[in-house]
Amino acid sequence: PEKADQEATENTKRTCKDFPFALFHCEDLGYKATLDGEEKTEGVDCYKIKLEKKSQLADGAEVPNVEYYFIDKDSKAIIMMESEIPSGSMKGKIAQMKYSDYQEVSGVYVAFSQSMGIKGEASQTLTFTVEANPSVTKETFAFPGE
């Protein structure tokens, strides 16, 4: 494990209250959500929602922080989220997160599968096991070796 640099740490501080999705409580966070149209995504008719968040740091400068959510018009589940990569070797490319295999956990539908990648390129899929409200100690989040 490595500690993040100062810029990455600041960006994490700016978005730490976004979990699990900033869209769920965007007004409380001071973000602006607008309907940006409708699109078919992953074969599903979706609403496309533009979410303008607090700016972030990229290469030492403040840059816009915008996410696009694609919401299933019928189930209201998030099918995909896209955002532009602001810095590094992938700067300007579109990051995509695709959500699937929704299952109910303690009355809430949760995506048990998430694919991450660059739009139009290969992606990596993660499959989750979800437990509602587990007991967690402070030590769980301690940096190794400290």
Side-chain angles (χ1 to χ4, degrees), residues 46-98:
C46 293
Y47 296 109
K48 181 179 180 184
I49 308 294
K50 178 181 181 180
L51 183 64
E52 297 174 75
K53 300 168 55 173
K54 293 177 186 171
S55 64
Q56 60 185 345
L57 293 174
D59 302 323
E62 296 283 341
V63 296
N65 189 2
V66 178
E67 296 175 341
Y68 291 91
Y69 289 84
F70 297 80
I71 311 292
D72 182 323
K73 290 173 76 174
D74 292 326
S75 71
K76 308 305 186 264
I78 296 174
I79 302 300
M80 184 171 67
M81 190 274 290
E82 292 183 335
S83 61
E84 184 176 333
I85 298 171
S87 63
S89 62
M90 300 297 230
K91 182 177 181 174
K93 292 193 176 196
I94 304 299
Q96 284 186 329
M97 304 276 269
K98 297 178 182 178

Side-chain angles (χ1 to χ4, degrees), residues 100-115:
S100 59
D101 190 19
Y102 278 88
Q103 299 176 37
E104 187 176 351
V105 178
S106 296
V108 177
Y109 284 92
V110 178
F112 274 58
S113 182
Q114 178 179 330
S115 295

Side-chain angles (χ1 to χ4, degrees), residues 2-16 57:
E2 295 178 8
K3 291 192 176 187
D5 63 29
Q6 192 172 15
E7 193 169 87
T9 300
E10 177 59 28
N11 285 334
T12 299
K13 287 178 181 178
R14 292 180 186 195
T15 59
C16 66
L57 293 174

